[in-house]
Amino acid sequence: MTFALPFEQIPQVPSRRLLGHLHLIRKNPVEFLRLAQDRADLCRMRLGPTRAVVVSSPRLMHEVLVERHEDHKKSRAIAIFARGLIGQSVFSSHGTRYKKRRGFVAPAFKANVVGRYADAIVNEVDAMLLRFGSEVSIDSEMHEITLRVVAETLFHTSVASDVPAIEDALTRALQAMNGLIGQAIPLPPTYPTKHGLKLRSARRDLDRVVYRIIRERRASGRDEGDILSMLMGARDEAGEGLDDEELRDEVMALMLAGHETTASALTWAIQVIATDPVVQARLTQEVDMVLGDRTPTFADVPKLPYTLAVFKETLRMYPPVYLNGREPMVDTQLDRYAIPAGTLIFLNIYGTHRRPEVYPDPDVFRPERFLGDGEKQLPRGAYLPFGEGPRVCAGNHFALMEGQLVLARLWQRCKLIAPSGKMSDPWPSFTLRARPPVRMRVERRTQRTSQLPAKDRFALS
C-alpha cells in the first residue's frame, strides 16, 4: 500500500445537517447519487457517527468488486436488513457460506439451462395480454407477470394458485424493508418497531407457502425440472445438500431478485419505448421481421439484438439495483485515501452508469451503445446492472432473456401508448421503481411493419 492521505481529506458532498447526508438520502437518494458523481470518483459522506464513502467511477468499482473483492464483504447494513426477509441466502451471506450457496444456485442459471424457461415466459405474456383492457397499469402488470414467471420456473405450475398471496406478502415485505432502511435510527428487523413487525408478518405468510411447497416436493420425490428440484438435488464436495431452512432462504432470495428487479426494469423499458418514436419503430420492425405472426421461442433470442439492446440501455439508465454496498474487513486504501476497516462503501451504480466520459450524452437513451462491439469497448466496471466479479448476479442470463422476450411479445401483439408522452419520475425504494401508477393505453396491432409502404418503414442499419 502506497502513502495514503487521511480519510478526512476525501472530498465531501456539502451538508449542513447534524446527521450529515441522511436527510438527503431519505428524501431523494437519486439526487444524492448524482451530486456524489459530480463531486468526485470517491466522496466522503456523513451518516451521524458512521464513516461512509461513495464510489462513482468504473475504475474504483472494478477495484472493489473484482481486484480486491476478498478484502471486502457485503455491507453489514444491507445484509442485516435483507436477512429479515431472505435469511442467510446467497445474496446476504459471505465467505465460505457464500461460496457454498453460490455453488448450489449457479447451475440453475447456466446459459444452456435458462433456455428451457423461454416458453413459460412467453405463455405468461400471452395470459397477461388476455387480461389487458383499453388501459392498463404497467407497473402492476409487470410485477404480476414477473412473479408468475418466477413461480413457474421456481416451483412449476403447482404454485399458480398461491401467486396472489405471494405477491401481497412480498409487497408488504418490501414496504417494511424500505421503512426500516429509512429510519432516522436504523434499528434492525429484529426490533419490534412498526416496520419490523410488518416485515415479520409478511415473512410468516411467505414461509407458510414456501415451506409447504418444500414439504410436498420432498414427499413426492418428483423432479419437476424447475429450479427448486435443482436446488434439492445439489450437493457440495462433501455430498451435503441444503436443508429446508437453507432451501427456504434461497427460494426467497430468488423470488425477490427475479420478481422485483425485473419488474422495475421492464416498467422503465416499456415507458422508454412508448415515449420514443424512433426506438419504438426500430424495435417493432425487428420484431416483425424476425417473428412475423408466430410465437417467439428461445431460438429467436439471438435474432433480436435491438430488442436486447433496448433492455440493456434501460438497465444502464434505470438500474433496478441502483446502489450497493461493501465494507472493508481490514484497513485499506481507495484512490489516494486511507479507508479504515468497517467503513461503509456505497457503490453508486446509478451515477457510474451516467459518466459522460464513458457514455456520451449519458441522459439520452441510445440502445446503439449495446449493438455490435459497443459493450465490449466499455471500461471495466462501467456497466453494473448485475454487479461484477465473483458476486455477479447468477441470474443475469435469465433476466436478460426474460426482458427481451417480454418486450418482443408485447410489441408483436400490441402498441402501448403513454398518455402524457413523458417518463415517470424515479421512485427509489428497495429498487429504482417508476413512480406509480404508470398508466398506458393499449392498441392491438393488426398490421405488421412489413405490410406498410416502404416510405413508412424504419430503416434498420
Side-chain angles (χ1 to χ4, degrees), residues 116-397:
R116 71 180 65 171
Y117 307 131
D119 290 346
I121 293 169
V122 175
N123 290 339
E124 290 299 341
V125 178
D126 288 347
M128 177 181 67
L129 288 167
L130 292 175
R131 300 193 299 268
F132 273 13
S134 60
E135 186 174 306
V136 296
S137 177
I138 281 297
D139 51 321
S140 296
E141 292 291 346
M142 290 304 102
H143 276 84
E144 180 168 350
I145 189 177
T146 54
L147 180 57
R148 288 181 178 275
V149 167
V150 167
E152 171 72 19
T153 55
L154 271 177
F155 304 127
H156 202 47
T157 56
S158 59
V159 78
S161 60
D162 293 305
V163 166
I166 294 173
E167 184 173 16
D168 175 70
L170 273 177
T171 299
R172 287 186 284 119
L174 287 171
Q175 290 172 345
M177 290 170 70
N178 290 336
L180 286 165
I181 293 171
Q183 295 173 126
I185 302 175
L187 297 173
T190 51
Y191 279 68
T193 62
K194 177 182 70 173
H195 300 300
L197 292 173
K198 185 176 183 178
L199 179 59
R200 286 154 66 179
S201 172
R203 175 171 173 154
R204 283 195 298 270
D205 291 342
L206 288 166
D207 282 353
R208 276 193 289 270
V209 176
V210 173
Y211 276 122
R212 189 200 76 224
I213 293 166
I214 291 172
R215 287 196 304 271
E216 291 175 354
R217 183 66 62 83
R218 286 202 189 279
S220 72
R222 296 192 310 270
D223 182 348
E224 298 287 0
D226 53 18
I227 295 173
L228 179 60
S229 292
M230 293 183 193
L231 289 175
M232 283 185 166
R235 296 290 182 271
D236 61 16
E237 295 178 353
E240 296 181 355
L242 296 171
D243 61 28
D244 285 2
E245 183 177 358
E246 291 171 326
L247 273 172
R248 175 257 172 228
D249 290 348
E250 298 308 333
V251 165
M252 206 67 72
L254 291 171
M255 278 205 300
L256 181 61
H259 159 55
E260 174 65 20
T261 56
T262 308
S264 173
L266 280 168
T267 300
W268 286 114
I270 289 169
Q271 286 194 84
V272 167
I273 300 167
T275 56
D276 190 321
V278 174
V279 171
Q280 183 157 209
R282 187 166 182 178
L283 184 144
T284 302
Q285 184 168 340
E286 178 179 81
V287 168
D288 288 353
M289 290 175 63
V290 173
L291 300 177
D293 291 319
R294 64 180 177 78
T295 302
T297 66
F298 180 63
D300 294 310
V301 168
K303 304 173 187 176
L304 297 164
Y306 187 76
T307 307
L308 178 60
V310 168
F311 193 59
K312 285 187 171 182
E313 175 71 344
T314 301
L315 292 171
R316 180 193 71 82
M317 288 193 69
Y318 306 100
V321 182
Y322 59 97
L323 182 68
N324 210 328
R326 292 291 185 271
E327 186 177 319
M329 295 180 287
V330 295
D331 291 345
T332 186
Q333 180 178 334
L334 276 178
D335 213 357
R336 299 172 295 155
Y337 303 99
I339 307 294
T343 299
L344 296 183
I345 299 177
F346 290 95
L347 302 174
N348 183 2
I349 296 171
Y350 183 92
T352 301
H353 280 189
R354 295 186 183 232
R355 301 279 298 209
E357 70 273 21
V358 179
Y359 300 102
D361 299 320
D363 295 324
V364 176
F365 190 87
R366 289 181 181 164
E368 293 76 15
R369 303 181 205 269
F370 294 93
L371 290 176
D373 293 331
E375 187 173 354
K376 294 179 181 178
Q377 295 173 2
L378 293 173
R380 294 178 299 182
Y383 186 62
L384 302 165
F386 303 106
E388 191 183 32
R391 293 194 73 112
V392 68
C393 174
N396 56 355
H397 297 297

